[in-house]
Amino acid sequence: MAFATAEELIHDIDGLDCRQYPFNGNMYGDIGLLYYKFRDYEAAVPLLKKATRETPGFYFDDSNLKARNSLAIYYRQSGDRKRSDDYFISILQSPDTIYARAVYDAVALANLAHNLTRAGLYCEAIGLYELSLPIMISDNDYSFASGIAVSMAECYMGLDNWEWAKQWADTATAYIREHIHFINPHRARQIYPILAKYHQQKGDAATAGKYIDSLSMAHADYRDEFDAMLLMRTRQELLAEKNRSQHERLQQQQTAITRLVVFAVIAVLVSMLIYYLYHKKKAAYRELVEKNKRWADSDRLEQIIDPVSPNHTITEEKGEDGNRQQGPTEKDVELAARIHKIMVEGQIYRDNSLSLDTLSQKLEVTRETVSRAINRTTGKNFTRFLNEYRVKEAVRILSTGRNHTVNFDELAEQVGFNSRITFHRAFKQLTGLPPAEFKRNS
C-alpha cells in the first residue's frame, strides 16, 4: 500500500515545478529513502537525485543534504569511491543554511574519512575523524560518535598502533554504555573484532577467543575486562562537560523553542497556501471537465461545421473572376452533413482501421473530395476531425456514474484508437486534461 501510494505521489508531482509545489524536493527525498531502506536502489537513486538542488532551501528542509548523503553511501557500497567522495564534498559545499547544518557537515567529514580508511589512508582519515567527533558529541549523537571512535580504532590498528586502537575501542564502548546503555549487533561486530585482535597481539589468546566466540559471550567478557577507572574517568569528564555547557544548553533550548514557534507559523501558512492552491487547481479542473462535457454533447451539424473563414458565404467552385473560392461550396456542406450523419448514427469512428480512403469508399466519392469538404467546412484535417468524434465518445463514457470501472486500454480500443498512447495524446490535446485526471474530476 505504501509503495502504491508512493507511485501515485510521484506521478502527481512529476508534472509540477517548484513554483507550483515548493516541497517537491522533500517529497522526492522521502520516497527515495523509502525505496532505499528496502534496497530498491534502481527506484531510489533517480528519486534521490531529483531531491538534490544547487540553491538554498527552507530552514527546516534538509531533503537536499539527506539525499546527497544517501547517494554518497550508495556509491560507496557500489565500489565507486570517486562519486561517493564527490557527493560527500557537495554536502560541505552546499549553500543550505538549515537548522542542523553543522551536524550534516560533520557526518560528511566522517564519511569522507571512512572512504579514506577503506583506501588505507589512515593518517588522512584520522584528521577528518577528529574534526567530526566533537560536533557529534556537542549534538549528543553518541550513536554516531561511537561509530567514529570505532573507525579511529580501525585506523590505528591499520597503523599497527595497538594501544591507541584499544583506547578508541574502549572510548566507543564508553559512549554507548554511558548514553545509549546497550551495544547493538552492528556496533558489536565493529568493536569486538578490534578487541580480539588487540588481545591476540598481546598474546592473550583466551580473551581473544572469547570475543570471537559469540556476541553474547563478548558482552559478558567485555563487562568483566572493561577498565572501570577508564569508565569512571570518562563519566567524570562528561559530567564536567555537562556542567560547563549547562548555560549554553538552556540558551539553545530557548532558541529551539523560538524556532519551533516560527516553524509552526510557517507550517500553518504553507499549509493554508497548499490548501488554497489545491482547491483552486481542483476547481479549475472541474470547470474544464464541465466545459468538455458540453463540448462532447455538441453533435448538431451546425456545431460541427467551423470553416476557416468565419465570414465566408457558401459559393460555387469558381467565382465570377474564374478563381477558385476558399469557402465551402454547397456540395462541401452537403458532403460534410453526410459524413457527420454516418459518424453519429453509424459510429464508424469506432473502427480503428477507418481512414480517408475507406471513408471515401463508403461515400462513393474521391478521397480528395472528402478531404476538401472536411477542411473547408471545419478547418481541420481528417485526423483531427476523426479524433474529435472519438474523444467526444470517450468523454461521454468517462462522464457516466460507472467511470470508476473504466480501463483506459479498453476505452481507447472501444472508441477507435489503435493504442493507449495515441488515445492519451489526442484526449489531452482536445480536452486539456489527461484521461486519468478527467476521470478523477468527472
Side-chain angles (χ1 to χ4, degrees):
M1 179 65 71
F3 286 107
T5 303
E7 290 179 2
E8 290 184 7
L9 287 172
I10 293 170
H11 177 269
D12 289 340
I13 64 178
D14 273 343
L16 302 175
D17 58 28
C18 294
R19 291 171 297 180
Q20 294 172 302
Y21 183 62
F23 301 101
N24 54 2
N26 212 323
M27 189 73 71
Y28 282 127
D30 289 342
I31 298 174
L33 288 174
L34 174 66
Y35 282 110
Y36 189 91
K37 289 178 180 178
F38 283 86
R39 300 182 181 180
D40 187 353
Y41 302 124
E42 185 177 348
V45 170
L47 292 172
L48 291 172
K49 288 182 178 180
K50 286 184 177 182
T52 63
R53 60 174 179 272
E54 302 301 328
T55 56
F58 294 108
Y59 183 69
F60 286 93
D61 182 5
D62 60 351
S63 58
N64 172 46
L65 300 185
K66 283 168 63 177
R68 291 178 184 273
N69 185 67
S70 299
L71 287 167
I73 294 173
Y74 163 75
Y75 283 116
R76 178 168 67 201
Q77 293 172 343
S78 302
D80 191 343
R81 180 191 158 194
K82 182 181 183 307
R83 294 182 76 175
S84 177
D85 284 348
D86 288 344
Y87 270 108
F88 284 131
I89 292 171
S90 74
I91 293 175
L92 300 173
Q93 296 174 339
S94 170
D96 281 0
T97 55
I98 64 169
Y99 66 101
R101 179 56 199 264
V103 175
Y104 276 103
D105 288 344
V107 170
L109 288 172
N111 276 295
L112 283 169
H114 187 70
N115 286 356
L116 291 170
T117 303
R118 284 188 166 194
L121 302 173
Y122 303 119
C123 292
E124 293 88 338
I126 288 172
L128 294 181
Y129 285 134
E130 289 176 343
L131 291 174
S132 177
L133 182 58
I135 298 174
M136 304 313 297
I137 291 176
S138 67
D139 194 56
N140 291 320
D141 190 346
Y142 284 93
S143 175
F144 199 91
S146 67
I148 295 176
V150 172
S151 297
M152 292 279 279
E154 291 174 347
C155 288
Y156 282 111
M157 188 171 63
L159 295 170
D160 290 329
N161 189 335
W162 293 97
E163 294 303 323
W164 277 93
K166 171 68 162 57
Q167 182 175 337
W168 277 106
D170 289 346
T171 301
T173 309
Y175 286 159
I176 295 170
R177 290 194 172 186
E178 178 70 16
H179 300 280
I180 304 174
H181 309 304
F182 71 93
I183 300 178
N184 62 48
H186 172 69
R187 194 66 77 221
R189 287 195 296 269
Q190 294 176 306
I191 295 175
Y192 295 147
I194 297 172
L195 294 172
K197 290 179 181 179
Y198 169 79
H199 287 291
Q200 271 185 335
Q201 190 73 14
K202 292 296 183 180
D204 188 353
T207 303
K210 290 179 182 179
Y211 279 114
I212 294 173
D213 285 341
S214 66
L215 286 176
S216 59
M217 184 179 293
H219 281 297
D221 290 341
Y222 190 79
R223 281 193 295 270
D224 294 337
E225 297 288 337
F226 192 76
D227 187 348
M229 291 301 296
L230 178 60
L231 179 59
M232 181 63 69
R233 187 164 61 251
T234 303
R235 288 175 176 171
Q236 289 173 347
E237 291 174 355
L238 289 172
L239 181 60
E241 179 64 26
K242 289 179 180 178
N243 291 334
R244 285 193 300 269
S245 61
Q246 182 176 8
H247 180 67
E248 294 179 2
R249 285 201 302 273
L250 289 174
Q251 289 183 331
Q252 291 174 354
Q253 289 174 358
Q254 292 175 351
T255 302
I257 292 173
T258 302
R259 290 172 177 173
L260 285 173
V261 171
V262 172
F263 174 74
V265 172
I266 293 174
V268 170
L269 293 176
V270 170
S271 298
M272 292 173 63
L273 176 62
I274 293 173
Y275 181 83
Y276 168 76
L277 292 176
Y278 172 79
H279 281 274
K280 185 177 180 181
K281 175 184 173 183
K282 294 293 288 185
Y285 278 1
R286 291 195 183 101
E287 183 179 350
L288 189 55
V289 165
E290 293 303 319
K291 179 180 178 181
N292 280 296
K293 286 181 180 179
R294 293 190 296 272
W295 170 72
D297 290 334
S298 60
D299 274 340
R300 296 195 303 275
L301 178 61
E302 60 270 22
Q303 294 171 315
I304 301 299
I305 295 178
D306 181 21
V308 176
S309 174
N311 299 318
H312 80 282
T313 55
I314 297 177
T315 64
E316 297 296 333
E317 284 293 328
K318 293 184 179 180
E320 295 178 357
D321 57 359
N323 294 325
R324 185 174 298 275
Q325 300 298 308
Q326 297 300 316
T329 64
E330 292 182 358
K331 292 180 180 180
D332 292 332
V333 175
E334 180 184 352
L335 184 56
R338 290 177 59 198
I339 295 171
H340 177 63
K341 182 176 181 180
I342 62 173
M343 287 289 184
V344 173
E345 298 180 0
Q347 295 187 337
I348 62 172
Y349 55 82
R350 291 176 179 265
D351 181 1
N352 58 20
S353 65
L354 182 64
S355 65
L356 194 56
D357 289 324
T358 56
L359 179 60
S360 62
Q361 290 172 7
K362 288 179 182 293
L363 297 170
E364 297 181 347
V365 294
T366 66
R367 69 190 307 276
E368 289 77 12
T369 303
V370 174
S371 177
R372 183 173 58 248
I374 291 173
N375 182 261
R376 286 182 174 179
T377 56
T378 68
K380 306 176 183 73
N381 60 29
F382 175 73
T383 301
R384 172 68 179 253
F385 175 77
L386 178 59
N387 283 346
E388 285 194 4
Y389 285 97
R390 291 170 171 171
V391 171
K392 283 184 176 182
E393 180 68 14
V395 168
R396 289 191 287 269
I397 293 172
L398 290 174
S399 301
T400 65
R402 299 184 300 277
N403 71 1
H404 61 281
T405 63
V406 172
N407 178 286
F408 288 120
D409 289 322
E410 294 176 355
L411 177 60
E413 182 179 358
Q414 181 180 349
V415 299
F417 286 97
N418 286 313
S419 70
R420 180 173 180 167
I421 294 175
T422 55
F423 166 62
H424 186 280
R425 185 186 301 116
F427 193 98
K428 186 174 182 180
Q429 181 184 26
L430 291 171
T431 66
L433 289 171
E437 197 65 50
F438 185 95
K439 177 181 175 183
R440 277 195 293 269
N441 289 275
S442 179

